[in-house]
Amino acid sequence: MFVQVCLYFYCKCLWRCLKFVVRKLTGQCELQRICYNTKPGAARTMKIEASLKGSKSKRLQTSVSVHPDAIEKTIDDIMELKRINPDINPQLGVSLQACLLQIVGYRNLIAEVEKLRREPYDSENPQHEEMLLKLWKCLKPNSPLKARISKQWCEIGFQGDDPKTDFRGMGLLGLYNLVYFAEWDTEIAQQVLSDSLHPKYRELTKKELSQLSKAEWEKKKFDKAIGYSFAIVGINITDLAYNLLVSGALKTHFYNVAPEAPTLTHFQQTFCYLMHEFHKFWIEEDPLDIMEFNRVREKFHKQILKQLQNPEMALCPHFAASESLINM
């Protein structure tokens, strides 16, 4: 333990000495070098964030958690602290401001999402009830709901006759995401719902068919494809999206698609992408039964995490709801 502590401080001191030498040689601080040598997006913003958090200056460390209204003043403070003339380096202030808007916005998005997750569904709240009924109307426009408490809810993937009990894990966040998906990507949402109720096998390639034995082929013909509960899976994918957000994994995506602060709409658009991709992944995995759900979900989670390790990555779904975001 003592050796590890010594090694940590040795590396820290060595790194600061190296930064000092590079600054003397280039005439630029680390923030300048990052902004001038790294293109806009996740690569630049994440380096700026790491540099500010790792600074020995408390003013720089706290700059990543200021109020959005204080960002301009914070940029002025950074320029002053680093002795950078804004008249000579006008683009630096613009670049730093864009990065800080994303960094601070991500933190605020976590707080907003967490607030929704902690708010329980209340059947006595008219707004909550209105959203729930909107979900039904968007997914089943030609099938009127006969009663608020009804077995019909199972038709869109809830477990019982009253959906409120299914929102316990994710609170209102699960409902918000499902309604967004159903309202803004109605055609896709309805198709995913239909496929979940009437699952079909994916078409096998000629190569895969040639590799099947006669016994496997006979079994395949009589096996039944496995579906899933649309709403329950939507709440589960909300949990997956929430964990990606809180862990910081979604920084890569949001810093690449949101030119300023990422918003709740960006998060919901990401949910749409994950929901659609999971549906395709489920079909591709061809599970034996619903008991394999956790295995398939974990495998899907790892695949998304791997994609997000690429600093160039942006989860850009081809959805109507995301077109305005992709073009920002």
Side-chain angles (χ1 to χ4, degrees):
M1 182 66 181
F2 176 74
V3 175
Q4 290 177 323
V5 172
C6 291
L7 186 62
Y8 168 77
F9 282 107
Y10 172 76
C11 290
K12 197 169 183 179
C13 291
L14 184 64
W15 174 246
R16 285 184 174 167
C17 288
L18 182 62
K19 284 171 63 177
F20 176 79
V21 172
V22 173
R23 172 154 193 170
K24 288 297 181 183
L25 291 174
T26 63
Q28 296 177 342
C29 69
E30 185 178 36
L31 296 176
Q32 287 175 295
R33 296 195 301 274
I34 293 171
C35 287
Y36 295 153
N37 300 321
T38 312
K39 68 179 184 179
R44 177 191 287 179
T45 301
M46 292 175 82
K47 286 180 180 179
I48 291 292
E49 186 174 12
S51 177
L52 292 172
K53 285 182 176 180
S55 174
K56 60 184 179 181
S57 167
K58 286 291 183 184
R59 287 170 68 186
L60 293 186
Q61 290 175 16
T62 57
S63 65
V64 298
S65 56
V66 298
H67 190 277
D69 294 340
I71 286 179
E72 286 192 30
K73 173 66 167 59
T74 302
I75 298 299
D76 292 339
D77 290 344
I78 292 173
M79 301 284 271
E80 181 183 348
L81 187 65
K82 291 292 184 178
R83 298 175 186 173
I84 301 170
N85 188 331
D87 296 326
I88 300 175
N89 302 273
Q91 187 56 41
L92 179 64
V94 175
S95 298
L96 286 176
Q97 184 173 5
C99 291
L100 270 186
L101 280 169
Q102 290 183 319
I103 295 165
V104 171
Y106 192 92
R107 291 172 64 94
N108 291 340
L109 177 59
I110 290 177
E112 186 178 4
V113 166
E114 183 64 34
K115 184 179 178 182
L116 284 173
R117 190 186 73 86
R118 289 177 178 272
E119 185 174 353
Y121 183 89
D122 182 5
S123 56
E124 300 297 319
N125 187 316
Q127 290 181 327
H128 295 186
E129 288 288 287
E130 184 181 347
M131 286 188 69
L132 182 60
L133 294 175
K134 180 189 283 188
L135 177 63
W136 176 271
K137 289 175 183 176
C138 288
L139 293 174
K140 306 279 284 185
N142 300 319
S143 301
L145 189 65
K146 295 175 182 178
R148 166 61 181 81
I149 307 296
S150 169
K151 287 293 184 184
Q152 281 181 282
W153 289 111
C154 296
E155 295 176 22
I156 61 172
F158 286 104
Q159 291 179 324
D161 56 11
D162 190 352
K164 72 175 184 180
T165 57
D166 292 327
F167 291 117
R168 287 174 184 164
M170 284 286 108
L172 276 191
L173 184 62
L175 179 58
Y176 265 62
N177 278 350
L178 283 169
V179 170
Y180 184 88
F181 186 31
E183 185 178 16
W184 292 99
D185 289 316
T186 308
E187 186 177 342
I188 297 293
Q190 288 177 353
Q191 184 61 55
V192 171
L193 172 61
S194 176
D195 289 348
S196 71
L197 293 169
H198 310 288
K200 298 177 183 178
Y201 280 120
R202 65 177 176 83
E203 292 186 11
L204 298 177
T205 64
K206 289 182 179 180
K207 183 179 179 181
E208 288 173 322
L209 285 170
S210 66
Q211 292 173 344
L212 288 177
S213 67
K214 186 176 180 181
E216 288 173 326
W217 172 245
E218 289 297 322
K219 184 177 184 297
K220 197 77 175 172
K221 283 198 301 183
F222 293 103
D223 274 354
K224 189 177 180 181
I226 303 300
Y228 55 81
S229 299
F230 176 87
I232 296 300
V233 167
I235 294 169
N236 200 290
I237 296 301
T238 293
D239 176 68
L240 188 149
Y242 166 78
N243 283 304
L244 289 173
L245 177 73
V246 173
S247 69
L250 278 179
K251 285 181 180 180
T252 308
H253 168 63
F254 287 143
Y255 290 170
N256 281 327
V257 301
E260 294 185 349
T263 65
L264 182 62
T265 301
H266 288 99
F267 179 77
Q268 291 173 313
Q269 175 251 340
T270 303
F271 167 79
C272 290
Y273 171 81
L274 292 173
M275 192 70 178
H276 193 220
E277 288 299 301
F278 178 80
H279 175 65
K280 293 190 292 184
F281 191 79
W282 177 266
I283 295 171
E284 191 69 27
E285 283 294 299
D286 189 17
L288 295 173
D289 53 49
I290 196 62
M291 298 303 291
E292 286 201 79
F293 177 82
N294 286 338
R295 176 191 67 79
V296 175
R297 181 192 184 277
E298 185 58 28
K299 189 174 179 181
F300 176 71
H301 185 201
K302 288 179 180 178
Q303 177 178 288
I304 295 297
L305 281 174
K306 186 176 181 180
Q307 291 175 0
L308 290 170
Q309 287 173 1
N310 177 3
E312 304 289 326
M313 186 62 189
L315 304 175
C316 292
H318 301 291
F319 281 84
S322 65
E323 287 176 2
S324 61
L325 299 177
I326 294 170
N327 293 327
M328 287 175 74

